[in-house]
Structure formats: structure tokens, C-alpha cells
Amino acid sequence: MEPMLPEEAAIGLEERAITFIAEADRLAERILPELRKSVGDLIRTVNSHYSNLIEGRDTPPRDIDRALAGDFSSEPHLRDLQKEALAHIRVQRLIDEGRDPANWPATTSYARWLHEQFCERLPEDMLEVRHPATGQSHAVVPGQLRRADVIIGRHVPPRHADLPRFLTRFDKAYASPPLSRMRQIQVVGAVHHRFL
């Protein structure tokens, strides 16, 4: 997991972050509230599509849009993918509307909240992970760390016994405060990378 943050001397990264914030603020000022809501809805759909695609599950945006309208596929696998996409979108909406925990999001407790909210919105049959080599099945418990080793597609995550140690390091590295606001912005990218 190391290094947890870019080097302090990464001035170029700080300059890019400052430019990004200024450009985002200018863009936000120009967008009408109705358009801002529409863009937010579109981005949640796109994020859901690509997040699922990274996990090897292709849910085309048109099928996500159909699910948002209550039109689910009669094919069970696609219907489950649509429900998974909706779970992503609904949890992202909670965050966008400020209905997430008030604590700093780069924490284990926030990650567990995300996991719990997401998994509670999944179909029951998606709350099971099957090890491809052994065929052993393990239940996914919303908000809880896994209790077995797994393989997800081609990805071999850390052993389950190592997770508490990794998450302790995660919380220590990303604690805020004492991070400056600039470091907090850098942490957002680092957190995404480390969770991947």
C-alpha cells in the first residue's frame, strides 16, 4: 500500500489541484440548477457503468436508464446487473445529497458505511462470492470485512487476515486533520487508488 500519499515535494501535483479546483468552480457557476441536476444524474449513470465494467460486469447505460425508469429485463442476469447499477446510483445520490456520515470519508468507518448501503440494495443472490479454484461459497455481509480469501475475476485481493492491519494503516495515513486542505484533495485520488 505504500506510499500512501504523493511525496510532499510534488509541487506540480499541487499546482494541478489548484487549477482543477478553480476550473471546477468556474464551471459550476455557469451551470443552471436544473442542468446541474441533469448532469449529476448522467454522471451517476456513467460512473455506475464504468465501475461495474471494471469488475467485469457490463451493464450498458441504456439498460441502466431502463432500470431507472422501472423497466427491468426479463433475463435474470441482466436484471441483476441493472439492480447492481441502481444500488451504485442510489448510494452516490445519498452522498451527493449530503445524507452520508458527517465524518471524513477517507476512513474505514466510511468505507464500511458505503459497503453496507451498497450491499443492502443488491439482490440476495449477488451477496455471495464463489472462489473459482475451490468452488467454495462465501456470504457477503453488508458493512463487514470478508472472512475468507477470494478472487474477483483476475484480481487477487489481500488475504482476509491482513485486512485489519491494512485498514489500520489506511486510517492512520489518511486521518484528517492533521492533513492540510491541499493534502486532503490529494488524499481523494490516493484513497481511490489504494482501494483498487
Side-chain angles (χ1 to χ4, degrees), residues 107-117 142-145 167:
T107 60
T108 299
S109 64
Y110 195 90
R112 285 183 180 209
W113 175 83
L114 285 172
H115 186 265
E116 180 178 35
Q117 294 298 311
Q144 300 297 313
L145 296 178
L167 292 173

Side-chain angles (χ1 to χ4, degrees), residues 35 134 154:
L35 182 58
T134 66
R154 295 181 307 184

Side-chain angles (χ1 to χ4, degrees), residues 115-184:
H115 186 265
E116 180 178 35
Q117 294 298 311
F118 175 69
C119 289
E120 286 179 348
R121 290 166 169 76
L122 291 177
E124 184 100 6
D125 60 334
M126 293 186 85
L127 294 176
E128 181 180 314
V129 177
R130 188 170 303 280
H131 195 288
T134 66
Q136 236 180 343
S137 177
H138 305 284
V140 175
V141 181
Q144 300 297 313
L145 296 178
R146 59 186 162 82
R147 296 185 181 123
D149 294 335
V150 297
I151 297 175
I152 310 297
R154 295 181 307 184
H155 175 64
V156 180
R159 292 176 349 108
H160 76 282
D162 293 333
L163 292 177
R165 182 172 50 91
F166 284 147
L167 292 173
T168 297
R169 174 65 182 125
F170 180 88
D171 281 339
K172 183 177 180 187
Y174 299 133
S176 178
L179 297 177
S180 68
R181 303 247 324 150
M182 183 56 65
R183 291 304 264 176
Q184 289 177 21

